[in-house]
């Protein structure tokens, strides 16, 4: 997505705005960091890798600033067209960025060579965050920091716990100091570029990732097919797409129990998100091989 940057107006003399991309491997804590920076739950979070599949704007506005964060999918080597689309969205988020936040987990180890290559190609200011310090050995944290700083130059380095919020205020202060002078790009009340129905589908997907076993969540996609809001209640119909027929029964579960649990837990969170009562109906549909099918992927919002 190309974002047209505003022509400066007199306001921009005192107002700062910019795009900040959070980059890292799956599970590093990018979505946790975004939510912590925003002070609200926008992105879904699960202990499983590859939870985030889309670039998501999280917008933090103050009187004289607007920070537009991009949460991004974790950097992986693509195995399906789905992954290719996910990595394309990471590439675009890097192209648009004024500031890059590179988030490395001190707790897990990955092959980070492609991630470090991407980060080193970014020519703007970079912040290095070593995350999960609450559960990591100090030597491990220092080693990760040394490994990254020996490969490229960062404007500033931080040791953080995105989960506990440790060090996050300092990161925001550093971001504010690096933002260019510009007027706001979005309405100051806006928290994301995505509509409510996108977050509704994400909440359902979060429950699939939390409740389903092994590789099954990776075969699922959620599509909100009907979303009607009135003053009293939101009526939502969503389809859970699976790749193969055999997976359909596993999602529905014995006596429909699994689907019921997914629905109950999702509805509870959607009610909190929308601030009103929700009637949620879930269907399961086989969309053979959707992860490698451009038509399905387009329909699910992967461009
Ligand atoms: N202990 C601890 N756990 C964390 C911290 N940050 C994130 N986590 C946990 O790490 C897991 C992954 O967090 P996410 O925020 O979903 O990670 P992500 O980088 O967005 O992952 P993908 O979307 O898969 O790329 C979750 O179980 C989080 O609760 C942290 O600072 N400390
Ligand atoms: Mg994420």
């Amino acid at each position: 997505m190309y974002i047209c940057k505003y022509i400066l107006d007199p306001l921009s003399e005192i107002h700062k705005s910019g795009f900040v991309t959070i980059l890292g491997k799956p599970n590093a804590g990018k979505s946790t960091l975004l939510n912590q920076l925003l002070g609200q739950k926008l992105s879904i979070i699960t202990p499983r890798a590859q939870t985030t599949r889309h670039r998501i704007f999280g917008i933090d506005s103050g009187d004289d600033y607007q920070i537009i964060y991009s949460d991004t999918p974790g950097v992986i080597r693509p195995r399906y067209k789905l992954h290719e689309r996910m990595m394309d969205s990471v590439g675009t988020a890097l192209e648009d960025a004024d500031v890059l936040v590179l988030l490395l987990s001190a707790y897990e180890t990955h092959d980070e060579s492609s991630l470090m290559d991407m980060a080193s190609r970014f020519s703007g200011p970079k912040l290095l965050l070593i995350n999960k310090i609450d559960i990591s050995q100090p030597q491990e944290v220092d080693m990760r920091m040394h490994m990254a700083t020996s490969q490229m130059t960062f404007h500033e380095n931080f040791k953080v716990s995105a989960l506990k919020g440790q060090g996050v205020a300092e990161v925001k202060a550093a971001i504010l100091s690096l933002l260019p002078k510009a007027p706001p790009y979005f309405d100051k009340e806006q928290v994301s570029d995505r509509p409510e129905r996108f977050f509704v589908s994400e909440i359902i997907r979060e429950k699939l990732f939390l409740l389903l076993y092994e590789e099954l969540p990776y075969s699922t996609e959620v599509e909100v097919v009907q979303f009607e809001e009135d003053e009293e209640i939101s009526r939502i119909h969503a389809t859970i797409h699976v790749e193969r027929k055999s997976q359909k029964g596993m999602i529905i579960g014995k006596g429909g129990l699994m689907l019921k649990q997914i629905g109950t837990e999702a509805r509870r969170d959607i009610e909190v998100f929308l601030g009103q009562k929700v009637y949620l109906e879930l269907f399961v549909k086989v969309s053979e091989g959707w992860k490698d099918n451009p038509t399905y992927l387009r329909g699910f919002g992967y461009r």
Side-chain angles (χ1 to χ4, degrees):
M1 188 197 325
Y2 176 73
I3 293 144
C4 173
K5 301 204 171 178
Y6 277 25
I7 308 289
L8 296 188
D9 72 9
L11 235 190
S12 63
E13 289 304 314
I14 44 164
H15 193 278
K16 289 174 145 200
S17 285
F19 291 80
V20 176
T21 293
I22 305 171
L23 184 76
K25 294 295 284 185
N27 246 359
K30 299 176 294 302
S31 301
T32 308
L33 176 70
L34 174 84
N35 292 348
Q36 195 64 252
L37 283 160
L38 292 177
Q40 76 174 85
K41 184 178 170 183
L42 194 65
S43 278
I44 59 166
I45 296 167
T46 81
R48 286 170 177 266
Q50 296 174 45
T51 300
T52 304
R53 288 181 180 165
H54 297 270
R55 175 193 188 179
I56 299 167
F57 282 164
I59 307 169
D60 176 12
S61 298
D63 285 343
D64 56 358
Y65 70 88
Q66 183 169 75
I67 311 172
I68 302 129
Y69 296 105
S70 288
D71 185 12
T72 60
V75 172
I76 47 166
R77 195 191 303 260
R79 285 171 54 212
Y80 306 97
K81 288 203 169 59
L82 167 69
H83 294 161
E84 289 172 15
R85 302 291 190 277
M86 286 160 59
M87 291 309 103
D88 287 349
S89 75
V90 178
T92 319
L94 273 177
E95 282 165 27
D96 295 337
D98 293 299
V99 178
L100 174 66
V101 171
L102 180 66
L103 186 70
L104 304 180
S105 167
Y107 193 65
E108 294 105 346
T109 43
H110 297 285
D111 171 11
E112 276 162 353
S113 49
S114 57
L115 171 72
M116 298 310 268
D117 278 353
M118 282 173 107
S120 63
R121 285 199 298 271
F122 180 76
S123 57
K126 294 189 264 284
L127 301 178
L128 172 65
L129 273 61
I130 308 296
N131 191 29
K132 308 198 184 183
I133 58 166
D134 55 304
I135 47 167
S136 306
Q137 297 296 329
Q139 312 87 280
E140 194 62 37
V141 176
D142 289 340
M143 210 184 76
R144 307 289 288 156
M145 192 164 271
H146 177 73
M147 184 278 294
T149 52
S150 62
Q151 290 186 49
M152 67 192 92
T153 308
F154 293 92
H155 182 82
E156 248 181 283
N157 310 325
F158 299 89
K159 298 171 182 176
V160 302
S161 167
L163 186 69
K164 310 262 183 209
Q166 231 174 312
V168 173
E170 290 80 357
V171 171
K172 182 173 164 179
I175 290 170
L176 280 172
S177 76
L178 291 169
L179 281 193
K181 287 191 176 107
Y185 296 98
F186 293 90
D187 192 293
K188 290 255 174 152
E189 304 300 308
Q190 208 172 325
V191 184
S192 180
D193 59 325
R194 301 265 177 183
E196 280 179 339
R197 64 192 293 152
F198 170 79
F199 291 106
V200 166
S201 68
E202 286 287 274
I203 291 169
I204 301 167
R205 212 163 56 73
E206 182 183 67
K207 302 309 166 206
L208 297 173
F209 268 65
L210 291 173
L211 293 171
L212 299 173
Y213 298 112
E214 296 168 6
E215 296 301 301
L216 191 52
Y218 297 101
S219 293
T220 63
E221 181 59 71
V222 177
E223 186 184 21
V224 172
V225 287
Q226 193 186 325
F227 184 18
E228 286 172 7
E229 276 178 292
D230 61 34
E231 272 166 29
E232 311 229 308
I233 195 163
S234 291
R235 287 185 179 77
I236 301 168
H237 289 196
T239 302
I240 300 168
H241 296 264
V242 292
E243 287 188 288
R244 289 184 296 278
K245 214 172 160 189
S246 58
Q247 295 166 338
K248 188 171 169 171
M250 288 151 90
I251 304 247
I252 294 169
K254 257 202 192 112
L257 278 182
M258 178 54 88
L259 192 62
K260 193 164 174 226
Q261 192 182 354
I262 293 163
T264 306
E265 295 196 13
R267 181 182 46 74
R268 210 173 289 146
D269 282 13
I270 297 167
E271 283 179 343
V272 172
F273 177 71
L274 296 176
Q276 75 171 168
K277 280 209 99 36
V278 166
Y279 170 77
L280 175 66
E281 204 164 333
L282 296 175
F283 303 91
V284 186
K285 185 176 168 189
V286 182
S287 297
E288 199 84 32
W290 67 264
K291 277 202 289 199
D292 250 332
N293 182 314
T295 311
Y296 278 131
L297 289 171
R298 218 173 302 118
F300 298 153
Y302 298 98
R303 306 248 140 65

